[in-house]
Amino acid sequence: MPGGPHGKSRSAFRRWQAGRPFWGGLLLALGGAEVLLTLKASLDVILHVGMQGLAGYLLPTVMLLCGVLILFSPSQRLFYSVIGVLVSLGTWLTSNLGGFFVGMLLGVVGSCLTFGWLPDQEPRVSRRQRRKAAKAAAVAGPLEREAGQAV
């Protein structure tokens, strides 16, 4: 059922997704969640160890928060993406090598995608479409000139 309730909600989600750096924010949030899940020490041990142990929980939490804020506040995407990439790189030192590199890489890639996202950019035209338009203009040009001379 294309016109059913699923079709309407899917198109509403697509419109919502198109107005924000969705994949960048999602990857950054997933990276933060992955780093948080790879931490195995209990909170009692972390508090006993001190600030170095607390940073292991703080930095991935900031990653997760930046990813969610990018999704729901895209106007501040540049600030959140810069904070996200710095915190993602910081997890390499504080959180099991950045969640065994997976969470750190997800965070860095998501932040870079967000930083490069432009809200009002025209869709890219493929090389094949540009060639087709150039051929159509080249064919239409002589025909228009011949029609103008016949009059």
Side-chain angles (χ1 to χ4, degrees):
M1 286 191 333
H6 294 295
K8 290 180 183 179
S9 62
R10 179 173 286 163
S11 65
F13 176 73
R14 298 264 177 168
R15 281 192 308 273
W16 179 82
Q17 178 185 1
R20 60 200 71 246
F22 179 77
W23 293 109
L26 184 67
L27 287 177
L28 183 59
L30 286 176
E34 197 275 334
V35 173
L36 274 174
L37 291 175
T38 59
L39 295 174
K40 294 192 179 215
S42 67
L43 193 58
D44 296 335
V45 173
I46 296 301
L47 291 176
H48 185 264
V49 171
M51 284 303 291
Q52 182 66 22
L54 188 61
Y57 281 104
L58 182 65
L59 293 182
T61 303
V62 171
M63 280 176 67
L64 184 65
L65 183 64
C66 282
V68 171
L69 287 172
I70 286 169
L71 291 176
F72 292 105
S73 178
S75 61
Q76 301 295 321
R77 70 188 182 285
L78 296 177
F79 175 72
Y80 296 139
S81 66
V82 169
I83 297 298
V85 77
L86 292 175
V87 170
S88 296
L89 292 174
T91 60
W92 186 52
L93 299 173
T94 61
S95 307
N96 294 334
L97 296 174
F100 304 112
F101 295 112
V102 175
M104 181 183 70
L105 288 176
L106 282 173
V108 169
V109 169
S111 295
C112 291
L113 284 174
T114 300
F115 191 82
W117 181 77
L118 296 173
D120 296 330
Q121 186 177 13
E122 292 292 323
R124 290 186 63 181
V125 178
S126 70
R127 184 177 292 165
R128 180 178 298 152
Q129 289 173 339
R130 287 193 306 254
R131 284 182 187 160
K132 189 183 288 186
K135 284 182 182 179
V139 169
L143 292 177
E144 289 175 359
R145 276 188 243 132
E146 289 175 9
Q149 290 175 355
V151 174

